[in-house]
Every structure is written in C-alpha cells, then in structure tokens.
Amino acid sequence: MEYYDQRKIILPVLMAGDLALASYHDLKGKMIMQVNMKKGNGKNSITSKQFNRGLIFQLIATGTCNTRIELSRRTGLAKTTVTNIVAEFMEKGIVKECEEELTEVCGRNPIILKVADQAPKIIGILVFRTNIQAVLCSLDMQIFRTETIEFGELTGDILIQNAFELIDRMMEEEKNILGIGIASIGPVDIRNGIILNPPRFYGVKHVPIKEAIQKKYNLPVYFDHDNNCAALAEKLFGIGKAEQDFLLLAVSNGIGSGFVCGGEVFHSHRGFETELGHVSINCKGLQCSCGNRGCLEMYASSYVVREKLKKITGLNLPYADYFKIHDRPEVEDILEEMIQDISAGLVSIINMLQPEMIVLGYDGIDWPEDYVKKLEVLINDRKITQDGWNIPVKKAYFGKQAQLVGAAALVVNSIFKGELQFFV
C-alpha cells in the first residue's frame, strides 16, 4: 500500500481513484476510518453509503464531474453504483439531466448532470463589524438574493433579532430551506457557536448566535469564523479548487486569515481560528487590543491605512479610491509601506506552513493588480524555500462576497462529508 502524508486526508485520495484502501486521519495522525475504494468493491455499511453519496454529490455540485462516466473514473466506484446513486438523486429532485455534451467521437453523447432547480436551498449569515448580511443560495452556490442590515447601536439581543429578520426575508422567497450557515468576525468559539469578544464591535460579547437560530428555526445550523468560511468557499467552488494548501488573507478593519491544509479548512483542537493579523512584525511596536505589541493589523489594516492617507492628503475617500491617486508620492509611500508590512507577516506564516497559494479577500479585492504583484514578488523573494516554486497571490473568486458565500458553504460541506443526510 502506498503511503501518503497524513494531512492529505481522504477526499484528495478518493478523487484520485487509484488507491485500494484509503485511511482517513485527523490532524494528529489518528485514524478515524478506512474506506475500500477498489473499483466495484465498495463497503456495504451505512457510513460508506453516506460517504459515497456525499462524494458523488460534491463532484456534481462543484462542477468537477458532470457525467456518470466521469464520476465513476474519478471516484473509483463501479459504473452501476454511480448510476444507482444518480438515479436516487434524480428521483428525489436533487439532480437533473441537462443538454448533451457535444463530442467528436461516434456514439451517443453523455448527458450532463447538474443540481436540480427544485433542490433545497440554503441560507448564509455573515456577522461583520458594521453590518449583518444574508444570502440565499442553491446547493451549487448560485446566489438568488442578498440582504444587509447596517448597525447603529448594537447589543447581543439586537444582533440576534437582526439575524432573525434577515432569515425571515430569505424564507419569504424560498420555503424549502435545508440549513443555515453562520460566519462571524472573531474571536469566536466555533464548537459552541458563540461570538466571543470581537474588538471594535460595540462592546458586544459572548453571543450564542448558533443556539438562538437553531432554536427558532429548527433547522441544521453551522457556525465558523468568517475567514474560515471564505477559505472553504474558495476551496470547494472557487480559486482554490485545485490546491491542497493555501492561505486566505482578508484585509479589512482588521487583518484576518483562513488556512486550508490538506484540502480541509484548518481548525485548532480548541476550536479557535487562525489570526494572521495578530502576528507581531515589531515586538516593541504599537500596543494592540489583543495584548500583544506590533500586531500586523495595527500597521496594515484598511482602517489604519485609510486614516494615514486621510491625514496626509486631507481627502476623506473610501479605501479603494486612494489607489486611484497612488501616483501622488505621499500616497505611494504609504501604500508601499502597507505592502511591505503585510509581506513581513505573510513570510513568517509561509515559512511555517508552506502554502501553495495566497488568496486575497475583503478589501484586498480593491488592490490594483500591480500591488498584488508587488506582494507576490516580495513574499517569494523573502521566503526561506528558494526552490524555483513561485507562490502566487490571487484575488478570491467570490470577491468581497467570499465570507458571505462561505457561510452558506458550511451547509453544503456537511452534505459533501455525508453528515447532513437530505438524500436518504
């Protein structure tokens, strides 16, 4: 049996379809389960059936495979097994057949499989510093509707009521809701679905938002940090589909991050998120609200950079608009300093984690391409591994909606893993 890095957990191996027995490990190397992937020799257990259906549905919903023959080749499952699973999906109105794919060879063209129009929909909720947003999505992440409520004064109770109002608006359009995903600024307690004590958040602390929504709507509810959600959306449906290890860098009023490791979003054992913004780039630097000194977000967050630019130019512009006047020397100096500071924080993380790609989110979407390229050049010049491999820096496929779409992706991901069984 060929051995694989234990971080490369089961999904990448299964999709290769070339391993007779694949082991599923957690990040500590403990084996959770084994799945026999030899073609035509699947296991007759409930767990394997759920897993197979989740995997088949993932390949269809993400557009990775869109014909039965592709599904069979990619998973290593027998053609009859794939055909039976697809037939089950179609009977339940989850998957539909579409137009034939044109081929140049003789014979019947294969039928395209897609998520059915009548399949259940999902709702995503994003709690940000200045507002709360909602999205109504299909299971393949097609967006039907978005809504936003801007914050004035805020308490934990008001926040929960705002979430209820947005969910109710989504349900006015669609009654067949499978589940709700919640993404929130941090720090958060992912396991218990609690927004802990985000800085600069009206003093709001310890909000049990997952429990409140689950109790009111009696639906499956999933919760995670906003940047973990963005990384998940980009991994499943976006620019990170082909990568196993990448870092999502979210520049906003703070600086956040989400890390995909071995094809899965990384979560610590205690359920807390990664915090690139609180990597110190100056141990004797500015005091941060987190208790550390010289944290990256004290120097390079969009709020801090915008305040510097307002002061030096006398102009009160949106963050993105300052890039339009970057030919002014005083503006260029501050923006160059921002890129230098961010590169310093990133290189430390790159040297530890060795990601294959950096994905920009939130206000990083506003950067002109020459600034994206400057950051890419800096991190590759300074990273310890100079092996000719270039780490690209790219903008998120979902742009500034990556975190919001990622909230909805939490629900879909539970289907893909065989945890949420809506097709049985």
Side-chain angles (χ1 to χ4, degrees):
M1 177 176 177
E2 191 172 357
Y3 287 90
Y4 286 73
D5 183 337
Q6 68 186 27
R7 296 181 309 154
K8 303 293 190 275
I9 60 179
I10 198 166
L11 183 57
V13 176
L14 288 178
M15 290 174 66
D18 60 358
L19 191 62
L21 188 64
S23 297
Y24 185 98
H25 297 81
D26 64 16
L27 291 175
K28 292 187 175 182
K30 181 181 178 182
M31 189 177 75
I32 299 171
M33 62 180 288
Q34 285 187 324
V35 178
N36 191 334
M37 285 303 296
K38 188 175 180 180
K39 290 186 178 182
N41 189 23
K43 291 174 65 177
N44 293 316
S45 69
I46 293 176
T47 299
S48 293
K49 289 179 180 178
Q50 291 175 350
F51 185 87
N52 288 343
R53 281 157 178 75
L55 177 59
I56 292 293
F57 186 73
Q58 174 173 355
L59 295 174
I60 294 171
T62 59
T64 305
C65 297
N66 57 17
T67 65
R68 293 170 178 81
I69 189 64
E70 287 179 344
L71 290 167
S72 178
R73 289 170 180 166
R74 199 68 179 263
T75 62
L77 294 171
K79 294 178 183 178
T80 53
T81 300
V82 170
T83 297
N84 290 338
I85 291 173
V86 170
E88 179 184 330
F89 288 170
M90 292 178 62
E91 181 182 352
K92 295 181 182 298
I94 300 165
V95 168
K96 66 178 180 180
E97 292 182 332
C98 299
E99 70 280 1
E100 295 182 343
E101 182 182 77
L102 298 177
T103 63
E104 296 180 357
V105 297
C106 296
R108 183 181 176 185
N109 292 320
I111 302 298
I112 303 299
L113 301 171
K114 292 184 179 180
V115 174
D117 298 336
Q118 68 268 31
K121 307 302 184 291
I122 47 180
I123 294 173
I125 296 290
L126 171 63
V127 178
F128 193 55
R129 274 190 180 81
T130 57
N131 58 55
I132 181 169
Q133 303 171 42
V135 64
L136 178 67
C137 287
S138 63
L139 297 177
D140 55 358
M141 291 296 106
Q142 302 301 309
I143 297 174
F144 298 116
R145 181 178 180 181
T146 60
E147 294 273 357
T148 301
I149 295 176
E150 298 292 336
F151 295 141
E153 59 179 346
L154 191 66
T155 66
D157 288 340
I158 292 174
L159 177 61
I160 289 174
Q161 289 303 316
N162 286 341
F164 290 167
E165 181 179 342
L166 288 176
I167 293 169
D168 289 344
R169 291 184 197 175
M170 298 297 109
M171 288 184 167
E172 289 173 1
E173 182 167 322
E174 175 61 56
K175 304 298 183 185
N176 187 12
I177 299 297
L178 180 64
I180 301 169
I182 310 165
S184 175
I185 56 171
V188 296
D189 180 345
I190 295 169
R191 288 183 175 179
N192 296 305
I194 298 173
I195 302 172
L196 293 175
N197 56 335
R200 304 181 300 282
F201 193 54
Y202 304 87
V204 174
K205 298 179 180 180
H206 303 288
V207 183
I209 191 168
K210 177 182 176 181
E211 180 184 10
I213 291 176
Q214 204 157 29
K215 183 177 180 180
K216 179 174 174 62
Y217 295 99
N218 195 29
L219 287 168
V221 178
Y222 301 86
F223 178 85
D224 206 338
H225 187 269
D226 62 338
N227 295 319
N228 285 347
C229 292
L232 178 65
E234 294 297 323
K235 172 56 190 170
L236 294 177
F237 297 95
I239 203 165
K241 284 176 68 172
E243 310 299 338
Q244 292 303 306
D245 303 286
F246 67 85
L247 180 76
L248 183 128
L249 169 68
V251 180
S252 64
N253 287 346
I255 292 181
S257 55
F259 183 53
V260 170
C261 175
E264 294 282 325
V265 176
F266 172 79
H267 294 93
S268 72
H269 178 69
R270 294 179 61 200
F272 295 107
E273 69 279 2
T274 58
E275 289 285 2
L276 175 60
H278 295 283
V279 169
S280 177
I281 60 172
N282 182 357
C283 65
K284 297 181 180 180
L286 299 171
Q287 180 73 50
C288 182
S289 60
C290 74
N292 198 8
R293 284 191 174 274
C295 290
L296 175 60
E297 70 176 41
M298 298 294 293
Y299 299 90
S301 69
S302 53
Y303 172 80
V304 170
V305 171
R306 182 171 177 265
E307 289 300 306
K308 291 179 183 178
L309 291 165
K310 281 171 59 178
K311 183 177 181 180
I312 201 167
T313 64
L315 300 173
N316 187 10
L317 301 175
Y319 175 79
D321 287 353
Y322 285 105
F323 290 96
K324 299 175 183 178
I325 57 170
H326 70 90
D327 54 337
R328 294 173 58 166
E330 68 275 22
V331 173
E332 178 69 8
D333 287 346
I334 290 174
L335 295 178
E336 285 284 346
E337 183 180 41
M338 175 193 72
I339 295 296
Q340 291 283 343
D341 289 339
I342 290 175
S343 71
L346 274 178
V347 168
S348 295
I349 299 301
I350 288 168
N351 287 342
M352 287 190 290
L353 302 178
Q354 300 296 325
E356 299 169 285
M357 180 172 63
I358 305 298
V359 179
L360 294 176
Y362 275 150
D363 293 341
I365 302 300
D366 294 327
W367 294 3
E369 285 303 318
D370 55 336
Y371 283 89
V372 176
K373 190 62 180 180
K374 285 177 184 178
L375 181 61
E376 182 178 308
V377 170
L378 281 171
I379 63 172
N380 282 285
D381 283 349
R382 296 175 180 177
K383 64 183 174 72
I384 190 170
T385 308
Q386 295 295 328
D387 58 352
W389 174 262
N390 185 72
I391 298 175
V393 178
K394 299 181 179 180
K395 294 181 181 180
Y397 172 81
F398 290 106
K400 290 191 174 184
Q401 290 188 311
Q403 283 75 6
L404 178 58
V405 172
L410 291 173
V411 183
V412 176
N413 194 45
S414 70
I415 300 170
F416 295 166
K417 290 184 173 182
E419 298 168 353
L420 180 55
Q421 290 295 295
F422 79 111
F423 33 59
V424 295

